[in-house]
Amino acid sequence: MLFGAPQYLVSGLTVGATYGLTALGFTMIYNTTGIINFAQGEFVMLGGMLSVVLLKAGLPLPLAILAAVLCSALAGCLMERAVIRPVGRAAPVNLVIITIGVSILVRGVVMLIWGKDTFALPAFSGAKPLRFLEASVQPQSLWVLAITLLVLGALKLFFSRTIHGKAMLACACERKAAALMGISVERMAMFSFGMSGFLGAVGGAILTPITLTSYDVGVMLGLKGFAACILGGLGNPFGAAAGGLILGVLESFGAGFISSAYKDAFAFIVLLLLLFVKPTGLFGGPKSDRV
Amino acid sequence: MAWRAFTALCLVLCSLLPAWASDTLKIGAVLSASGPASFLGEPEKNTLVMLQERINAKGGIGGKKIEVVIYDDESDVNKAVLAAEKLIKKDQVSAIVGPSISGNTLAIMNKAAEAKIPLLSMSAAEKIVNPVTPWVFKTPQSDRLAVQGILAHAKAAGVAKMAIVTVSDGYGQSGREVLKELIPAAGMELVADEVYGPKDTDMTAQLTKIGGAGAQAVICWGTNPGPAVVARNRAQLGMKTPLYMSHGVASQKFIELAGEAAEGLVLPASWLIVADQMPDGPYKTLLTGYITDYTSKFGVAPSAFGGYAWDALTLLAEAARISGDTTPQALRDGLEKVSGFVSATGTFTFSPTDHNGLDASSFAMVEIKGGKFVLLR
């Protein structure tokens, strides 16, 4: 009955890390601006696609990834400056629609420039699988999990120890008060878009050796990442990462033990059930109005 | 009096119209030259343009110059229907080739039949010719022939327990139906029937399950990139179970995506991709000629999809030769009498009960070795 369970767990964690990294990007922007950025999946795609393109242009792999990640972070900043800030204090729902527009635009531009093909990236340290219990693990999966944990740790430090991190949290709590304290709310918003571009692109670049990439991978990732956010509790970075991992493992076990035809359904059914019981998500605190 | 004169004038004009139109033979084409299915429509369009020049240089079909009227349906079913209406009513074509995708063909099939214009589809779905509609033909091989090729190979290798993993889109699911029908019919046991989504990036769960079911071989049915992921996951899991792919991935792109994991995979493919390894003969001459001409004209090698367009147009020429006329009715009747006609996809023999006209020999079984497709003998 339990045949293959270790393998399902490993596969689930690897895929889950993708969702988790995307979910982190959502959380980042939500925490500073209150917007759900539906172009988050496009940042992931940009990270992967730009790495592929730069690698083909002759850069060595680490440099190509670094450049791709920086470009995506820049794209994030640019997005805030060019389309979010000019709208000013519009209702969040309007801004959310704008992010959907941006995602379609980015997808279209990438498709026009680099075409509709799927691309692969070489694994960072060979493709020879390691045996672990009964499961075989790709070295790249370890890279993905390690980098995800590293990013998570760095974020924790950033928000609790640095002045910029605290300033971003302050903007999330109360924009006006933060502005009165001398924090540039607009700069913080731009910064958060840049960071989530960075996070998404890191995810895209480290995952491409496993999952391949194409101009439209962002759509599904964005959706799953958003679901992971909700599962973990919107606004909680650790909830987002954990939500992603749980979602991935649920899918993998569902496909393995019940039926692969309904793989996508299991995760969403569990999500719905959870929201009935605990609407704030697994790790979301009770919602309270600020006085 | 005026009324009579008007009627007479109309009659004269009507009788003149076909006479004027008969200087050229108009053939319509509905292709997905852009949109998601442009990888099909693009080479088809190029091939039609190339063939039109060549046929006209040789004196046309049945003594008439041909004019191929090409409409792009942008891979959209509504646009395909509009294009078909235009071809039938406005352009008054004698035959239609295309569309490139099955859904669009199914949508316009009845229109062609109502207008009594022969339709030569370049899409693969078996539903197009089964049951047979008098006015509808198709040139690509049915999935059934690909499955037969794979099962014959597996049977020779002594496989008794087969597993399948298919993509949950139209291509994968129609393949799955055929697989589920033919695997038991070939005397094998279907031990696992797994499915994955077109955008899925990890199929290790499905493959682990297949490994646990004791399958002796696996057939994967899908188009890029899914099968590349399946191949990579198989290598990652260290699975030794032989893996068969469908003809949907018979392109260099698949080898590029799957990398080393593609080594040793066996699949049915159009002869076009192994033309250089074929035994000499008229078929090889035809294919290498097509590849050379196409490459020199468009700068890239043709894909098997371009071959479907080659089939469609040359089959019409053959039909006109057989029936000695180029009216839609004559073309249709001629098509049904085509026998042993060697074209890009294979040897066509149509009959009133078979409007696909190909057999299992229209697929070559190939193995991927050293990053190349190698013909199995």
Side-chain angles (χ1 to χ4, degrees), chain A residues 11 136 138 209 216 260 263, chain B residues 194-195 199-200 204 232 236:
Chain A
S11 308
S136 68
Q138 292 183 74
D216 61 350
S260 49
K263 194 191 71 158
Chain B
E194 297 299 317
V195 178
K199 293 267 152 229
D200 284 2
T204 46
R232 281 165 161 246
Q236 174 205 338

Side-chain angles (χ1 to χ4, degrees), chain A residues 78-164:
Chain A
L78 197 70
M79 173 180 168
E80 196 278 336
R81 190 66 194 84
V83 298
I84 302 289
R85 199 182 293 181
V87 184
R89 296 180 162 265
V93 67
N94 296 5
L95 295 172
V96 169
I97 302 293
I98 290 177
T99 67
I100 296 179
V102 170
S103 84
I104 296 172
L105 176 79
V106 171
R107 218 161 37 237
V109 168
V110 170
M111 186 193 83
L112 282 178
I113 302 180
W114 294 302
K116 278 174 284 201
D117 274 339
T118 307
F119 298 95
L121 210 59
F124 295 174
S125 52
K128 196 166 171 54
L130 314 165
R131 297 299 295 182
F132 172 74
L133 293 178
E134 280 171 57
S136 68
V137 187
Q138 292 183 74
Q140 189 68 24
S141 298
L142 299 179
W143 275 102
V144 170
L145 289 173
I147 291 179
T148 309
L149 287 177
L150 201 72
V151 165
L152 211 54
L155 276 184
K156 168 93 180 153
L157 280 179
F158 175 75
F159 277 121
S160 59
R161 294 290 159 84
T162 68
I163 189 81
H164 276 91

